[in-house]
Amino acid sequence: MSQRAFTAFARLREPGLADWITRQVRFPNCMVDRITPQTTDEDRAELSRRFGVEDRWPVLCEPFTQWVLEDDFADGRPPLEDAGVQIVSDVVPYELMKLRLLNASHQALCYPGYLAGYRLVHEVTTDPLFARFLLDYMITEAIPTLRPVPGIDLQQYARQLIERFSNPEVRDTVARLCANTSDLIPKFLLPVIRHQLAAGGPVTRSAAVVASWARYAEGADENGETYQIDDVLAPALQAAARRQREHPTAFLEDNRAVFGDLADDPRFTRVYRAILTSLLDRGVRKTLADLDHYREDLP
């Protein structure tokens, strides 16, 4: 992305400069992983109280950090590995790992968690029912779609994610993870679903995430508390969600800009319909506890 942007700009100004950039300049790909929740007034007040520092926008973060950098430099490089940077020949496996495990798991926990009344991420993942749901999604559906990641045990990485999400000091909000879903799920979760459908693999947990988003888009949790949908497509999402009690696949069919032809896949829609119906009739907890009853390979 940076290479295309810089080179295109340079070509508009001076074609020779663009040619020189193409020959001489390197744009190594990278992946950075560290959970950084939104800064709150309470964070600013605590920083002032504990350390006497007045900062209008402190950045809070978890202890974990990962920076993976492609070894693609024009004339040597600093010893970045001495600072903990992972220097690799190909960043893509690490990037897909983060997208389909960490980022997709954020989506997997936020909608059912919010519907059940949780408002902080660690509250969701310290609930054994939700932790098991996340781990099952990662191990049975997401990890099989990934290439091997050098130096990473993917199952251990999945378990570590549950630990990271469960850190009460981070105080990440579920609402933050629920925002801008129409832009996020196509990047994080739908590739997992499409890969598994093509390979004949399981999609039950992924379908449960999409169904939970559809239920969340109705705008009220299971306690009757209402909330605003923070999404550029909010009007269309809510309009579709209002139709789904009579037409269970309305959320998929009315939002093809998000789902494409997924609404036409009978294997996916069968399990999606069953889980959405259960969410509407029985609620999140009973649905997640009985997910194996909705496996797409059952008649």
Side-chain angles (χ1 to χ4, degrees), residues 3-289:
Q3 183 178 19
R4 289 197 301 269
F6 275 98
T7 306
F9 175 76
R11 194 167 300 281
L12 292 173
R13 298 295 299 271
E14 173 54 58
L17 175 60
D19 293 339
W20 181 87
I21 290 175
T22 300
R23 293 192 307 270
Q24 303 293 336
V25 179
R26 298 293 180 266
F27 296 82
N29 191 14
C30 73
M31 185 275 283
V32 177
D33 178 9
R34 199 172 203 184
I35 297 172
T36 53
Q38 289 178 328
T39 302
T40 67
D41 290 338
E42 290 76 12
D43 296 330
R44 284 181 273 267
E46 183 174 5
L47 185 66
S48 176
R49 177 181 58 80
R50 292 179 59 185
F51 303 105
V53 174
E54 301 296 331
D55 189 332
R56 296 181 64 183
W57 213 270
V59 177
L60 280 74
C61 57
E62 63 171 334
F64 178 92
T65 184
Q66 183 181 29
W67 182 8
V68 183
L69 183 63
E70 181 185 13
D71 193 2
D72 181 20
F73 292 80
D75 187 21
R77 59 171 172 77
L80 297 170
E81 60 270 39
D82 292 349
V85 180
Q86 292 177 254
I87 307 296
V88 301
S89 60
D90 184 5
V91 175
V92 171
Y94 299 87
E95 184 176 19
L96 290 178
M97 174 186 74
K98 177 178 179 289
L99 294 176
R100 298 184 184 183
L101 296 181
L102 185 150
N103 296 117
S105 290
H106 270 164
Q107 303 298 297
L109 73 86
C110 67
Y111 313 111
Y114 203 99
L115 289 169
Y118 291 125
R119 295 297 179 262
L120 294 173
V121 170
H122 73 269
E123 296 172 341
V124 181
T125 53
T126 53
D127 183 320
L129 177 67
F130 289 85
R132 171 49 57 185
F133 170 62
L134 288 179
L135 197 59
D136 285 347
Y137 157 74
M138 288 189 278
I139 290 177
T140 65
E141 298 185 20
I143 287 177
T145 74
L146 298 174
R147 294 155 47 186
V149 185
I152 302 290
D153 180 329
L154 290 173
Q155 294 206 7
Q156 178 56 34
Y157 178 83
R159 292 182 173 87
Q160 185 183 35
L161 282 177
I162 302 295
E163 296 176 4
R164 291 168 60 191
F165 296 159
S166 300
N167 184 344
E169 298 302 320
V170 177
R171 298 189 65 79
D172 201 3
T173 65
V174 180
R176 179 183 79 86
L177 305 185
C178 289
N180 304 313
T181 305
S182 65
D183 182 53
L184 303 180
I185 272 190
K187 300 173 183 174
F188 304 154
L189 185 69
L190 297 192
V192 172
I193 295 174
R194 297 186 188 283
H195 185 285
Q196 290 288 55
L197 288 173
V203 295
T204 304
R205 270 72 189 175
S206 299
V209 179
V210 178
S212 296
W213 178 30
R215 168 64 183 87
Y216 172 85
E218 292 186 345
D221 68 14
E222 293 182 350
N223 300 314
E225 179 180 332
T226 60
Y227 45 83
Q228 296 295 315
I229 306 299
D230 185 1
D231 195 292
V232 67
L233 298 182
L237 297 172
Q238 290 187 284
R242 285 193 292 268
R243 295 203 315 118
Q244 66 192 0
R245 292 180 182 257
E246 290 73 35
H247 186 59
T249 54
F251 195 75
L252 303 177
E253 295 170 2
D254 294 358
N255 293 294
R256 289 182 181 270
V258 176
F259 296 109
D261 60 359
L262 201 60
D264 304 320
D265 188 294
R267 185 164 162 253
F268 179 77
T269 55
R270 181 171 66 174
V271 67
Y272 169 85
R273 287 168 62 104
I275 293 172
L276 178 62
T277 298
S278 180
L279 287 170
L280 296 173
D281 294 344
R282 304 169 66 228
V284 167
R285 299 195 69 88
K286 290 182 179 179
T287 300
L288 294 187

